[in-house]
Amino acid sequence: MSLTPDEIDRYARHLVLRDVGGPGQMKLKAASVLVIGAGGLGAPLIQYLAAAGIGRIGIVDDDRVSLSNLQRQVIHGTPNVDELKVESAARAVRHLNPHVVVDRHSVRITGENARDLVASYDIVADGSDNFETRYAVSDACYAEGKPLVTAALGQFDGSLTTIRAHETGPDGKPNPTYRCLFPAPPPPGAVPTCAEAGILGALAGVMGSLMAMEVMREIVDFGDSLVGRLLMVDARAMRFDTICYGWDETNPLNGTKPQGPSPANGRG
């Protein structure tokens, strides 16, 4: 695999970066990323992954574009209203970067199909808007041994972390799972939906772009990963804070008494 003259020109600003360069750009080109959701977080995430030259992007979303999406889901446009989001997003990627292969998965990801979807990609980026999906995806990533970049949005706040629960940390302990950070989903109705509470559109752009940067970091390996760290963004105060979290030995995946599926490509 090599870069074409068009790609060398296209990615010139990456190629001169000491921490990316030619080897890093080749890693991006060889990588495959599964994006969960082509909505507020997924829209800028997909755009920046495509612009960066990720070789293959899978997009999972069973929804259609609505007019109310366009305040924040910037990969879609007015002519795309009522179109499947995976089709609209795939077309936008082709316009942006024809070197990127797009896999369209117009399905709702569940505990039943998550592992099969996750298994075909190098890294997963979850921008879903419901807890059922987040837990299904994070459990599947652990079971299939895949890194996970996951983010969430509130009205004026967002959070982001990276999960590599299938690996151990420098201290020899297992890396934390998503369930170490959030042991269980909140009761139904406890957290209002985006439609109920509203959301600042530009915040989705900020958090989706940060997700793209974290995905690229995990592929190219520059700087400090967000494994074991939760980045919290407060758009009202314009504050970025980071808290550390660790492995919980009682978590059901890689705790001392595991109850979930076995890791690393098994089918437990």
Side-chain angles (χ1 to χ4, degrees):
M1 181 183 293
S2 60
L3 298 177
T4 67
D6 176 85
E7 289 175 305
I8 291 172
D9 193 19
R10 179 182 293 268
Y11 308 130
R13 301 304 183 271
H14 275 174
L15 297 177
V16 297
L17 280 175
R18 184 178 61 182
D19 290 343
V20 180
Q25 191 61 51
M26 292 298 296
K27 289 180 180 179
L28 295 174
K29 181 175 181 177
S32 60
V33 179
L34 182 67
V35 175
I36 313 298
L41 291 168
L45 167 62
I46 292 166
Q47 287 176 311
Y48 272 108
L49 292 181
I54 297 296
R56 182 165 66 99
I57 300 174
I59 306 172
V60 182
D61 200 307
D62 67 340
D63 199 7
R64 292 181 180 270
V65 180
S66 67
L67 196 59
S68 64
N69 296 153
L70 303 185
Q71 165 252 14
R72 64 202 176 281
Q73 299 181 18
V74 293
I75 202 169
H76 313 296
T78 302
N80 304 119
V81 170
D82 293 330
E83 184 178 5
L84 287 169
K85 287 184 179 179
V86 292
E87 298 295 342
S88 173
R91 185 178 300 107
V93 170
R94 288 195 297 270
H95 288 168
L96 179 60
N97 190 346
H99 300 285
V100 177
V101 175
V102 179
D103 301 331
R104 301 180 295 278
H105 304 285
S106 183
V107 297
R108 185 174 185 83
I109 198 164
T110 66
E112 287 68 42
N113 65 10
R115 288 186 66 171
D116 286 336
L117 286 166
V118 162
S120 300
Y121 295 86
D122 299 324
I123 186 169
V124 179
D126 185 7
S128 61
D129 61 358
N130 68 88
F131 291 101
E132 179 183 1
T133 299
R134 291 178 198 167
Y135 283 88
V137 169
S138 64
D139 289 355
C141 285
Y142 169 73
E144 295 297 329
K146 305 293 183 178
L148 169 65
V149 174
T150 180
L153 292 171
Q155 293 174 300
F156 290 90
D157 61 273
S159 62
L160 170 67
T161 192
T162 297
I163 309 288
R164 300 185 74 103
H166 56 289
E167 298 174 347
T168 56
D171 59 0
K173 292 183 179 179
N175 282 333
T177 71
Y178 186 80
R179 292 180 182 271
C180 295
L181 183 60
F182 303 110
V191 179
T193 65
C194 175
E196 294 168 337
I199 184 172
L200 187 67
L203 175 64
V206 171
M207 298 307 301
S209 298
L210 288 172
M211 288 183 75
M213 187 159 60
E214 281 308 297
V215 170
M216 293 171 62
R217 184 194 313 279
E218 292 302 309
I219 295 169
V220 177
D221 190 21
F222 60 84
D224 298 324
S225 171
L226 278 178
V227 171
R229 298 191 297 148
L230 179 69
L231 175 68
M232 299 180 296
V233 178
D234 181 348
R236 289 184 184 273
M238 197 51 75
R239 286 182 52 182
F240 287 66
D241 296 305
T242 305
I243 63 169
C244 296
Y245 65 97
W247 174 63
D248 179 359
E249 65 178 18
T250 67
N251 87 80
L253 294 180
N254 64 359
T256 54
K257 297 180 179 180
Q259 305 165 25
S262 57
N265 302 316
R267 291 293 185 198

